[in-house]
């Protein structure tokens, strides 16, 4: 009996010694300053002005076009895709075919480019794939599917974004539009039609850009209008004792009315914001820790929206999705390199805070290295684990490229460094 007791005690001691007292988590950094101290953030004013001119050209593109720049096949891609797939509704059950067919009928695609009117977003909204706020999911029982991956969500869209309206849905509640970065359906209540005189006024004014999240916007009588996220752009009309005076949009009888509003100086700057360490730090800090939002779901950001909104205040244009962003600037192919060669090349050729790191389905901002280890800032949903599971991160973080290697059940072939295909220096 005594012998058995001591054997059991010895087993417990040995077992306890082998078990970690704390769960193992991937290494995530929370401070941007160490990279700014070790890195010279440098972009000449001449180069920045050229990039800003390109930004303005892209931003106002919808008001320069006479019709939506797409084909009928372009705008109906979702019909072909989702009628051929098994898709699910918000109740986690298969989406009824008659519901999808009602959305397709309401989309009124035969009226494509019949309206061709200029408009503007009057408060933060969403571009949807079909004219409905209802979601489309793939099998929600699978990790990496279900909420928040609503495949009817194309993109969040900020207030004051220029639009070209192709046509309305049959019920009149939705408009199919071309924005500066995406096509999609937006609720008619969220837009206002704009005159040529108003377009000229807006385009000719300097711009103020928000550097702070969720800024309350009021009209000139101090009535609340909406909350605006960082990188929202407003026309600038003057200064007033610690405030920028800007124009904000209001809708009256479907048309745009421009009213004045005041934004505190510490929450915004004139565009383009100088690409200096203190400004890079300011923008990055607002993004760090923000929850992941597929396609801008619930006013959060995904990986490519994070990179777009990081560069926008500095007047640097990026397309909407990660694959398109990876084609901007000077491209350096890493696809045939070993892991060590990739990391060495990024350090030698990449420019911190001006370089994107691309892997299929994901984009990251290179911010520098510590002890010859590359670090990136990115908004990431999670780390793929064995049997197609996920270790959820779900926010904007700073990590190295070996994120998750220390997890016992991580899928080693899915580690970031192994999947990286290229980098591109967007300032070149």
């Amino acid at each position: 009996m005594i012998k058995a007791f001591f054997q059991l005690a010895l087993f417990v001691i040995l077992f306890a010694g082998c078990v970690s007292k704390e769960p193992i988590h991937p290494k995530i950094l929370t401070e941007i300053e160490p990279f700014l101290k070790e890195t010279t953030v440098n972009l000449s004013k001449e180069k920045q002005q050229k990039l800003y001119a390109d930004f303005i050209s892209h931003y106002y593109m919808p008001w320069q076009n006479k019709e939506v720049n797409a084909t009928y096949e372009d705008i109906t891609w979702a019909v072909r895709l989702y009628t051929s797939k098994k898709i699910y509704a918000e109740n986690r059950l298969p989406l009824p075919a008659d519901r999808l067919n009602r959305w397709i009928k309401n989309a009124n695609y035969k009226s494509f480019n019949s309206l061709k009117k200029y408009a503007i977003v009057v408060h933060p909204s969403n571009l949807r794939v079909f004219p409905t706020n209802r979601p489309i999911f793939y099998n929600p029982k699978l990790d990496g599917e279900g909420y928040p991956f609503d495949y009817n969500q194309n993109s969040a869209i900020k207030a004051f974004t220029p639009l070209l309206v192709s046509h309305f849905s049959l019920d009149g509640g939705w408009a199919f539009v071309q924005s500066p970065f995406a096509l999609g359906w937006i609720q008619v209540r969220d837009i206002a039609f704009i005159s040529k005189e108003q377009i000229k006024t807006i385009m000719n004014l300097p711009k103020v850009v928000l550097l702070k999240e969720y800024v309350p916007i009021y009209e000139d009588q101090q009535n609340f209008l909406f909350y605006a996220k960082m990188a929202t752009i407003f026309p600038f009309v003057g200064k007033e004792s610690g405030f920028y005076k800007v124009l904000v949009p209001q809708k009256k009888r479907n048309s745009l009315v421009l009213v004045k509003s005041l934004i505190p100086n510490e929450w915004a700057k004139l565009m383009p914001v100088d690409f200096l360490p203190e400004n890079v730090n300011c923008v990055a800090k607002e993004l760090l820790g923000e929850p992941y939002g597929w396609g801008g779901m619930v006013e959060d950001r995904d990986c490519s929206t994070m990179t777009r909104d990081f560069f926008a205040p500095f007047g640097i244009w990026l397309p909407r999705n990660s694959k398109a962003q990876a084609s901007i600037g000077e491209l350096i192919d890493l696809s045939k390199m070993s892991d060590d060669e990739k990391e060495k090349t990024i350090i030698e050729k990449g420019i911190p805070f001006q370089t994107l790191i691309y892997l299929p389905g994901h984009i990251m901002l290179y911010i520098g290295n510590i002890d010859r280890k590359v670090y990136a800032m990115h908004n990431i949903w999670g780390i793929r684990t064995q049997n197609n599971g996920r270790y959820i991160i779900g926010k904007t973080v700073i990590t190295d490229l070996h994120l998750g290697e220390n997890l016992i059940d991580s899928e080693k072939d899915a580690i970031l460094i192994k999947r990286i295909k290229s980098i591109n220096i967007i300032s070149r």
Side-chain angles (χ1 to χ4, degrees):
M1 183 72 178
I2 294 174
K3 182 179 179 182
F5 173 80
F6 280 111
Q7 287 177 334
L8 177 60
L10 181 61
F11 172 80
V12 170
I13 292 169
L14 290 173
F15 182 77
C18 294
V19 175
S20 173
K21 298 276 193 290
E22 297 290 337
I24 297 174
H25 297 295
K27 185 178 180 182
I28 293 172
L29 304 185
T30 58
E31 298 293 335
I32 201 80
E33 285 89 344
F35 299 95
L36 290 165
K37 289 176 183 175
E38 294 180 10
T39 306
T40 301
V41 178
N42 184 23
L43 187 60
S44 71
K45 283 190 174 293
E46 181 183 5
K47 179 62 178 177
Q48 195 172 358
Q49 286 298 328
K50 289 179 67 175
L51 290 167
Y52 183 52
D54 180 67
F55 181 99
I56 291 298
S57 176
H58 279 95
Y59 189 70
Y60 288 121
M61 174 270 295
W63 291 347
Q64 306 302 308
N65 291 347
K66 293 184 178 179
E67 63 180 19
V68 170
N69 183 23
T71 66
Y72 185 83
E73 288 69 29
D74 290 336
I75 70 167
T76 56
W77 66 269
V79 176
R80 297 187 295 276
L81 177 63
Y82 293 126
T83 52
S84 66
K85 281 184 173 289
K86 189 169 185 179
I87 53 179
Y88 292 76
E90 63 272 21
N91 59 1
R92 298 170 62 89
L93 298 175
L95 185 79
D98 63 337
R99 182 186 294 180
L100 178 59
N101 289 333
R102 285 199 304 271
W103 298 345
I104 294 170
K105 182 179 179 181
N106 193 37
N108 191 23
Y109 289 118
K110 67 179 183 297
S111 296
F112 175 57
N113 262 335
S114 61
L115 188 61
K116 296 183 282 192
K117 289 186 69 174
Y118 300 125
I120 200 164
V121 182
V122 293
H123 55 75
S125 186
N126 293 289
L127 293 178
R128 304 290 282 172
V129 174
F130 291 112
T132 176
N133 282 318
R134 289 187 177 274
I136 293 174
F137 297 117
Y138 291 157
N139 191 346
K141 295 179 181 178
L142 301 177
D143 284 314
E145 298 297 348
Y147 187 86
F149 298 100
D150 171 11
Y151 293 103
N152 193 35
Q153 174 73 0
N154 192 347
S155 180
I157 190 165
K158 294 180 174 65
F160 238 124
T161 301
L163 301 174
L164 173 56
V165 180
S166 159
H167 65 283
F168 291 131
S169 58
L170 282 178
D171 61 15
W174 295 79
F176 188 79
V177 302
Q178 183 161 40
S179 77
F181 55 88
L183 301 169
W185 291 96
I186 186 170
Q187 289 186 280
V188 170
R189 68 186 185 190
D190 295 342
I191 69 172
F193 291 113
I194 185 170
S195 68
K196 290 183 178 179
E197 292 74 20
Q198 288 171 322
I199 287 175
K200 186 176 180 181
T201 296
I202 291 170
M203 289 184 64
N204 287 337
L205 286 171
K207 307 295 180 285
V208 163
V209 62
L210 297 186
L211 300 183
K212 185 174 177 60
E213 287 283 87
Y214 297 110
V215 173
I217 302 298
Y218 302 88
E219 44 94 277
D220 50 2
Q221 300 301 312
Q222 290 303 298
N223 293 310
F224 176 83
L225 296 177
F226 54 83
Y227 286 106
K229 287 177 72 68
M230 192 194 74
T232 301
I233 298 168
F234 298 98
F236 169 72
V237 292
K239 290 186 176 182
E240 185 175 307
S241 59
F243 292 86
Y244 288 110
K245 187 182 292 185
V246 301
L247 298 179
V248 295
Q250 279 193 299
K251 180 176 181 176
K252 291 190 178 178
R253 297 186 181 88
N254 290 329
S255 295
L256 174 68
V257 175
L258 294 169
V259 297
K260 293 184 174 65
S261 183
L262 297 177
I263 297 175
N265 287 350
E266 62 267 26
W267 291 355
K269 283 184 182 292
L270 284 166
M271 287 188 75
V273 176
D274 290 335
F275 203 84
L276 299 171
E278 57 268 30
N279 293 329
V280 168
N281 184 42
C282 176
V283 171
K285 278 189 168 183
E286 287 298 302
L287 294 168
L288 276 172
E290 182 188 33
Y292 180 91
W294 168 264
M297 285 282 290
V298 294
E299 300 184 21
D300 292 327
R301 294 177 176 89
D302 57 18
C303 63
S304 55
T305 311
M306 188 221 83
T307 48
R308 285 190 86 242
D309 284 357
F310 173 84
F311 284 110
F314 304 108
I316 299 172
W317 177 263
L318 287 182
R320 169 64 184 93
N321 65 58
S322 58
K323 187 174 182 180
Q325 288 184 6
S327 66
I328 300 298
E330 180 185 339
L331 177 67
I332 300 172
D333 183 13
L334 308 180
S335 60
K336 293 181 172 57
M337 296 183 183
S338 68
D339 295 351
D340 289 343
E341 288 172 332
K342 289 178 182 178
E343 201 146 25
K344 181 180 179 183
T345 302
I346 294 171
I347 293 170
E348 289 180 351
K349 297 187 177 181
I351 302 175
F353 299 101
Q354 297 176 41
T355 302
L356 298 177
I357 304 174
Y358 171 71
L359 54 152
H362 193 53
I363 198 96
M364 305 180 285
L365 175 67
Y366 170 53
I367 63 172
N369 76 90
I370 296 177
D371 298 328
R372 305 294 291 176
K373 181 175 281 192
V374 168
Y375 282 83
M377 187 173 86
H378 52 132
N379 198 320
I380 181 172
W381 175 242
I383 300 165
R384 192 184 306 163
T385 56
Q386 293 169 15
N387 301 316
N388 203 35
R390 296 293 188 280
Y391 178 99
I392 305 301
I393 295 174
K395 60 184 177 181
T396 301
V397 292
I398 297 170
T399 72
D400 62 30
L401 304 184
H402 302 267
L403 178 67
E405 272 188 349
N406 64 326
L407 300 179
I408 296 172
D409 62 343
S410 64
E411 187 63 62
K412 303 308 178 187
D413 289 340
I415 299 298
L416 297 173
I417 188 73
K418 296 186 179 301
R419 298 170 54 219
I420 288 171
K421 296 297 183 183
S422 64
I423 62 172
N424 55 301
I425 304 168
I426 54 88
S427 57
R428 289 181 181 167

